[in-house]
Amino acid sequence: MSHGALQRIAPPAYVPVDEERDDFLCQEIRRLAAERQALILAHNYQLPEVQDVADFVGDSLGLALEAQKDPREIIVFCGVHFMAESAKILNPEKRVLLPSLAAGCSLSDSITADSLEDWKQRYPGRAVVTYVNSSAEVKAGSDICCTSANAVSVIRSLSEEKILFTPDRNLGRWVARQVPEKDIVIYDGCCPTHDVLRGADVGAGKRQRPDAVVIAHPECREDVLALADEICSTTGMHAAVERHPEAKTFLIATEWGLLHQLKKRFPDREFIVADGCIGCRLHCPYMKMNDLEAVLRCLREDRFEIRVDPEVASRARVALERMMAVPRDR
Ligand code: CIZ
């Protein structure tokens, strides 16, 4: 499909919404969640209506921590598979349900336990730092995990100078530039949703709105990051907006679901998806698989339960807990 054709696709944000049906589904979801004492968590990239029905919205680590704090035994995790797995690893005694089992992650799929072992053999003796967008098996084979909110601090916290960073090459390059004292080999994976965006797209947006502040996620390519005023995790983007009290317009280079909370929290500011087509390229199809119908089915039919092999989970937990002891970057 050509770039032009992509721009003509009706952006997902404009799919006509049946408000009456959505209201009914939301009421049913809230009623069943209360009856079953289930906690509903939604990632920042979920559909706006799913974010609105959830008890908490946040990034994957923030949601896993929320699950730890909350006494409820059932967690409905509206996110993608690796996130629900992390929540299960950190909350082994709870039932973690993922509304759509098809909600995977291309970045996470770009590295398997076997391909990690190949890389470790090619680069022996390196500390393995793995982005949380990875399976439980890959986390289990890693020394420490990181998120986009703490990757720089995690790498600085290590005594080893030689690092193997997996699986996101864009995040890895961005981190490596900030920690030049470390020798970092970077695995060749990426998030296709972020990797498709080009500097030229952001440049075009900037020419139309020269006053706009550009906020980009570090999973974006180098040419996008070069044009950004702020580079941060999804949660960090809220603080980034606060750092620009004079700015009225923001170009946001990440999955379009994030704009929902930004618009709610800063109603007097304008947020524009940096792909120039209102989220038709910065659109993660997996994140959008948990629609209201799927969330309701999940509560009604008690599916799909996430299970992690206990031995894998205990090694993955060590890598996650080592990371959690390191503060966020900012
Ligand atoms: O860790 C997360 O939730 C992801 C995928 C990105 C972010 O920046 O929050």
Side-chain angles (χ1 to χ4, degrees):
M1 188 184 287
S2 76
H3 183 90
L6 268 174
Q7 285 195 324
R8 285 194 297 276
I9 292 174
Y14 288 164
V15 171
V17 173
D18 180 344
E19 278 178 25
E20 230 172 273
R21 172 108 187 114
D22 279 6
D23 285 349
F24 166 76
L25 292 171
C26 287
Q27 278 172 27
E28 272 300 284
I29 289 169
R30 293 303 338 157
R31 187 187 65 73
L32 263 180
E35 190 182 298
R36 301 205 53 204
Q37 297 198 22
L39 170 70
I40 304 181
L41 301 174
H43 188 264
N44 289 319
Y45 295 153
Q46 290 290 288
L47 287 164
E49 58 273 24
V50 171
Q51 296 187 28
D52 287 344
V53 86
D55 294 295
F56 292 100
V57 180
D59 61 23
S60 60
L61 179 63
L63 295 176
L65 295 176
E66 233 18 273
Q68 277 186 328
K69 277 192 265 165
D70 199 279
R72 280 168 276 192
E73 296 292 318
I74 300 176
I75 314 292
V76 174
F77 201 107
C78 304
V80 293
H81 190 269
F82 77 82
M83 298 179 174
E85 252 185 4
S86 292
K88 178 68 186 173
I89 292 165
L90 294 174
N91 299 275
E93 70 298 344
K94 300 198 175 181
R95 275 169 78 73
V96 177
L97 305 175
L98 181 66
S100 170
L101 205 52
C105 167
S106 308
L107 173 58
S108 171
D109 289 347
S110 73
I111 184 163
T112 61
D114 287 346
S115 54
L116 176 62
E117 279 315 308
D118 283 351
W119 275 63
K120 281 163 74 170
Q121 278 172 25
R122 273 165 68 187
Y123 301 99
R126 288 177 179 259
V128 179
V129 179
T130 291
Y131 189 30
V132 285
N133 297 36
S134 51
S135 67
E137 288 78 11
V138 169
K139 289 184 177 86
S142 305
D143 295 299
I144 187 167
C145 290
C146 72
T147 71
S148 46
N150 62 17
V152 172
S153 305
V154 162
I155 289 187
R156 283 205 182 113
S157 76
L158 297 175
S159 56
E160 292 90 341
E161 191 208 316
K162 289 181 184 292
I163 312 282
L164 173 57
F165 186 90
T166 77
D168 191 290
R169 62 177 181 239
N170 294 328
L171 177 64
R173 283 182 199 139
W174 174 70
V175 171
R177 274 204 307 279
Q178 294 173 76
V179 196
E181 66 277 18
K182 302 275 184 181
D183 168 4
I184 306 181
V185 167
I186 301 166
Y187 187 85
D188 193 19
C190 71
C191 160
T193 300
H194 286 92
D195 200 63
V196 77
L197 188 69
R198 302 294 143 142
D201 305 317
V202 179
K206 256 314 249 188
R207 276 193 299 282
Q208 278 177 16
R209 304 302 298 266
D211 57 321
V213 171
V214 178
I215 305 183
H217 194 275
E219 287 175 30
C220 292
R221 295 168 73 98
E222 252 171 336
D223 57 344
V224 171
L225 299 184
L227 296 172
D229 300 293
E230 298 274 357
I231 300 171
C232 39
S233 68
T234 56
T235 301
M237 289 188 183
H238 287 251
V241 172
E242 280 174 343
R243 283 195 288 277
H244 296 270
E246 75 300 337
K248 287 275 168 269
T249 306
F250 295 83
L251 277 175
I252 306 293
T254 195
E255 213 281 348
W256 65 269
L258 187 87
L259 273 73
H260 187 58
Q261 296 300 322
L262 287 178
K263 286 177 179 170
K264 278 171 84 169
R265 180 150 168 212
F266 305 100
D268 56 333
R269 317 287 187 90
E270 184 189 17
F271 297 99
I272 302 171
V273 190
D275 58 10
C277 59
I278 325 172
C280 64
R281 274 179 291 154
L282 283 164
H283 170 76
C284 174
Y286 296 114
M287 279 286 178
K288 304 302 192 259
M289 285 177 176
N290 302 310
D291 56 12
L292 290 174
E293 312 258 358
V295 178
L296 182 57
R297 248 192 339 265
C298 164
L299 278 161
R300 272 189 186 147
E301 297 172 20
D302 208 28
R303 66 178 196 183
F304 296 94
E305 185 171 0
I306 299 299
R307 293 196 171 88
V308 184
D309 174 85
E311 191 271 328
V312 170
S314 85
R315 286 189 291 127
R317 193 176 313 119
V318 172
L320 281 166
E321 284 177 345
R322 258 190 99 187
M323 166 189 83
M324 283 152 63
V326 179
R328 295 175 78 95
D329 292 342
R330 70 172 187 183

